[in-house]
Amino acid sequence: MAAYMRIPKTCQVLLNVNYFSSAIGLRVRVAFSSTTGNPEFTSKRVRSMFTEFFRDWHRHKLVPSSPVRPRGDPSLLFVNAGMNQFKPIFLGAVDPRSEMAHYRRVVNSQKCVRAGGKHNDLDDVGRDVYHHTFFEMLGNWSFGDYFKEEACSMAWQLLTDVYGIPPDRLYISHFGGNATLGLPPDEETREIWLSLGVPPGRILPFGMRDNLWEMGETGPCGPCTEIHYDHVGGRDAASLVNQDSPEVVEIWNLVFMQYSREADGSLRPLPQLSVDTGMGLERLVTALQGQRSNYDTDLFTPLLSAIHQSSRCPEYRGRTGRADEGNVDMAYRVLADHIRTLSICIADGVYPGMSGAELVLRRILRRAVRFSTEVLRAPPGMLAGLVPTVVEILGDAYPELHREKERIMDIVNDNEAQFLSSLKQGRGVIDRTLQKMGGAQLFPGSVAWSLHRNLGFPLDLIGLMLEERGVVVDTEAVDRLAAEEEKLKTQTQCPDRESCTELDLYSLSELQGTGIPHTDDSPKYHYSLGQDGRYAFPCCWARVQALYSSQALVSEVGEGQRCGVVLDQTCFYAEQGGQTHDQGYFIRDGLQDVLFPVEAVQQVGGYVVHQVTPGDALRTGDRVQLFLDKAQRLACMVKHTATHILNFSLRRLLGDGVQQRGSHVTPDRLRFDFSVRGALSGQQLQEVERTVQEIIARNEDVYVQELPLTLAKRIPGLRTVDEVYPDPVRVVSVGIPVPDLINSPTDRPTSVELCCGTHLLRTGEIQDFVIVADRQLVKGVSRVLAVTGETAREAREAGHALVQEVESLSARLQSAGSALFSAHRLSKEVGLLTDAVESTLMPQWQRKDLQHRLKAMQRTANTAIRKLETSEATEKAQSLLKKHGSKAVVVDTVEADSISVVMKVVNQYSDHAPGSKVMLLSHLQSGRVLCACQVPKGCSSLSASDWALAVCSHLGGNAGGSSTVAKGTGNTQDITEALRWAEEFACAKTQH
């Protein structure tokens, strides 16, 4: 440990503090005040000082924050730490062509959301003054470069010299070890802090919960050392560290990435040692501005002021717990926090919805609405009115907030209105349930869960609403229903198939360590269009570099042993960029009659892995010949090029506000998700479709060229999506050569995108294009499905045929006679045709038009039926009145084919004989009996529902209704006996 007892080398070469301070325009304070802070320490200044410190003086690359929606990581709902975007580096799985593969030292300010999964602070927000769902993580990283000594030295220098925080305000925690897992205490880190001059009494060991950092249930992790800040000072506050004290809070966490948490809970060493640090900007600013609460800094005070002006509530006073009467200050904090989260998430394309991250955001929005309306009594729309203030505070650091401001406000307003409507509906459900409970004190868990799951009611809101009525929720039932839904969700999810294609961390590291070169997959682009109009896909010879089976690299696999095959080169396309993987087979040199089917293809860390179930033995070093499923590849090329043209056409019609939110290309169809205000109309869909078809008809050339990423991004009109692109990158342009886009910019709009997919060489090969479905995924995001080629032609023909059927039925409906039977038949035909329009593959714009027409036709048919039934019922009721008059009990038969007619006859009879108890039965040829009855309102001796239920049960059927009107069905061959039994039942009840 002697090496750590000296002053580290890093400290000897650290910046001259005064020079650095003057360079960034801020004088370091000699005296640090806990009560006043430094007015020059604005949040913007603190953020820039951090990034400039590491960028300018320690050679860190400044990278932008990634969006809060994780890139291709299903284990996370949101980006919850600064290291999330660098996870492929920690795992050794980064694409070697990407810029990220060359990162060694990095710094940034990362947008983070902790409102779901392992790190979830949602329920704590508002209760204290330092928890948030959205926060900014200032971080510096080393990927196999410096480690513990340099990381601690830099952190200490920045905090004490640059920011001027007195060392006696700081406490250090470090990992104290875990005997069960065989992890020793991190004494190395303790010695480093001692060498930096930190007193031994301020360096405190803690266990895994506090000082072994893990990103999620699985993935990179390691021991960490945390720096805690004492807001009071002038005392020994060691006993308050990690005790959730608002006076002593953690501000910086230095994580030493050494392990990967496996699915079985074990820890395995990472291929390289790395550093991941994270310091919450909000807490740092609080300390530097001399505040005790994050909400008293310039990151929040403008929001609190805006809330006060909009709600007309008492000013924010910063109270918590019992001192916060009516939870008013808690509501202020909830709104200020949640509107930041909503703004950031929506700007990054995460919209309130019904599953995953979208569901969490929906809960956040509704929690904010609840506090806004229930506690602060603010008017509707106030929440969205806070968005411009968020943009003003954070927009300089995150420019997407400026671009998306209007969309954010629209989505917040729409969802608030929807929830307020649900609140009204939910209150009605609660009121009706309480009436049925008859004074019971335990509210049914099934009703509470339904309100929560279907109407989006926060469970705590349900509890508060019931508490006002002196009732509590059956929480055991709610927990049971929640567990059942989670179990069902797990069962219905696709089971994780045993994957031989995704190399595990250690096998990937072994491949890299043995010097096996990355797979050359450029042959996947080697195809041409012949003079005969056919695409030629040449086969490809390759050599087996590695075999992967049962989570290990092996030298040989036997027949039927499912495995992953790494080749030195391949013409197969690995799934990426929204395009599904190729299929096909290869044969082994010298074994021409045995096929090795390729079932899936994936790219991992620069290696292309083919999932194969061999038909014979396969060894490393074997030479194989690859054969592509040409029809499947060509179908994907058609759909992918059509997707680019669709993207262009949507922007051309709806404006540049359209942003791609996802896409998927298969041989059968394409799917495209995009941000847009409201659902697309049938006319808009038709116009988009027409634009795509025009480009197809022009048979334009599709140009593809590799360019340096920085040059490609300068192309006017270039469309990109949120992902890490390789460098160089492939530019796909329709109709205009790529060099012309750079050297001779034109005003002619065209489709130009960065894309690694495979594309047609001319647009005419698409042949035809039809949008067959569209829907809103969530407010502000729509999805379209489309087909091409022969399938599109068939869809168009199917649509034309249905149009003719609808027109024919419409004509027959208009000329229909006065027969009730004919009216019912036509109504049934309308229903069958409606089902056909709903389920048939056809143009979506045409489907919407036909659905609109069929709804109108259904209304016309139903109106005609009601009129004919009323006329027929009037005639039959008059006949029965002549027969029975105003008898006390009337039981008889009536000829009618529908229960609706029977019911109308009963109603009309009762209107003319209000004192009579009437039951009519219709005996159909099949033996089925239709029953309807009505008794005078207020009749205590006989209930209509009891009467109908007794008779229909006697006939082997069932019935239902109210005390005055009821109906049902049964079966009998002796209707006379049924009439007698019904009348005797009524008379017996009346006599009693």
Side-chain angles (χ1 to χ4, degrees), residues 92-110:
V94 66
D95 186 334
R97 300 167 300 171
S98 71
E99 182 184 14
M100 189 179 288
H102 306 292
Y103 288 171
R104 291 297 175 265
R105 297 183 175 204
V106 170
V107 62
N108 86 341
S109 180
Q110 172 64 48

Side-chain angles (χ1 to χ4, degrees), residues 540-846:
C540 172
W541 283 96
R543 194 168 297 279
V544 177
Q545 300 276 71
L547 296 168
Y548 180 69
S549 181
S550 302
Q551 293 188 306
L553 292 174
V554 295
S555 60
E556 179 180 353
V557 292
E559 178 183 350
Q561 183 179 351
R562 195 160 173 260
C563 64
V565 182
V566 177
L567 304 172
D568 60 346
Q569 66 172 350
T570 182
C571 59
F572 281 80
Y573 184 87
E575 181 156 2
Q576 56 184 322
Q579 180 177 327
T580 192
H581 59 78
D582 282 338
Q583 292 181 339
Y585 64 93
F586 54 76
I587 58 176
R588 200 180 77 201
D589 194 15
L591 192 66
Q592 308 300 318
D593 57 344
V594 177
L595 302 183
F596 293 75
V598 177
E599 302 159 7
V601 190
Q602 291 181 341
Q603 189 176 86
V604 185
Y607 297 100
V608 177
V609 192
H610 307 72
Q611 180 180 294
V612 175
T613 303
D616 202 294
L618 191 65
R619 302 172 183 85
T620 56
D622 281 349
R623 195 162 178 259
V624 295
Q625 188 176 16
L626 281 65
F627 294 89
L628 197 65
D629 184 332
K630 299 175 182 178
Q632 192 240 21
R633 161 66 83 82
L634 181 57
C636 285
M637 289 163 56
V638 167
K639 305 301 184 300
H640 207 147
T641 302
T643 301
H644 281 219
I645 300 172
L646 170 63
N647 188 4
F648 166 75
S649 302
L650 284 165
R651 292 198 323 275
R652 189 172 181 183
L653 173 67
L654 303 173
D656 288 338
V658 170
Q659 297 291 330
Q660 179 177 337
R661 295 302 185 190
S663 68
H664 193 241
V665 171
T666 69
D668 300 322
R669 62 179 60 188
L670 64 91
R671 186 194 77 211
F672 190 75
D673 302 340
F674 57 100
S675 58
V676 64
R677 290 182 63 180
L680 269 64
S681 67
Q683 181 180 355
Q684 288 175 317
L685 289 170
Q686 188 176 13
E687 289 182 28
V688 169
E689 198 174 283
R690 187 182 298 120
T691 301
V692 175
Q693 290 161 355
E694 288 172 356
I695 297 174
I696 294 171
R698 290 200 297 266
N699 196 23
E700 297 191 22
D701 288 320
V702 179
Y703 299 94
V704 181
Q705 183 173 332
E706 280 197 349
L707 291 176
L709 184 59
T710 53
L711 178 60
K713 286 187 173 181
R714 294 205 296 266
I715 295 175
L718 179 74
R719 304 302 294 183
T720 61
V721 294
D722 171 47
E723 62 180 52
V724 178
Y725 289 99
D727 194 5
V729 70
R730 288 169 62 83
V731 179
V732 181
S733 171
V734 176
I736 302 178
V738 176
D740 291 353
L741 293 170
I742 301 171
N743 302 321
S744 306
T746 174
D747 292 335
R748 175 190 164 191
T750 190
S751 167
V752 54
E753 299 189 30
L754 302 185
C755 183
C756 62
T758 57
H759 287 272
L760 297 171
L761 301 179
R762 297 188 69 85
T763 61
E765 297 298 319
I766 300 173
Q767 298 179 4
D768 201 355
F769 176 90
V770 169
I771 296 174
V772 295
D774 84 305
R775 68 184 180 95
Q776 276 197 295
L777 298 179
V778 294
K779 283 280 187 181
V781 177
S782 286
R783 166 174 292 176
V784 296
L785 301 179
V787 293
T788 61
E790 183 64 18
T791 306
R793 185 190 63 78
E794 292 172 355
R796 203 179 302 285
E797 290 178 353
H800 180 67
L802 284 170
V803 167
Q804 292 181 321
E805 287 191 45
V806 170
E807 289 176 347
S808 173
L809 182 56
S810 177
R812 285 190 288 126
L813 193 61
Q814 291 174 10
S815 61
S818 58
L820 182 59
F821 173 78
S822 297
H824 274 294
R825 179 172 52 79
L826 288 171
S827 177
K828 185 176 181 180
E829 286 188 49
V830 173
L832 292 173
L833 199 48
T834 298
D835 292 340
V837 168
E838 178 67 32
S839 59
T840 300
L841 198 70
M842 63 182 294
Q844 182 69 356
W845 66 265
Q846 207 167 43

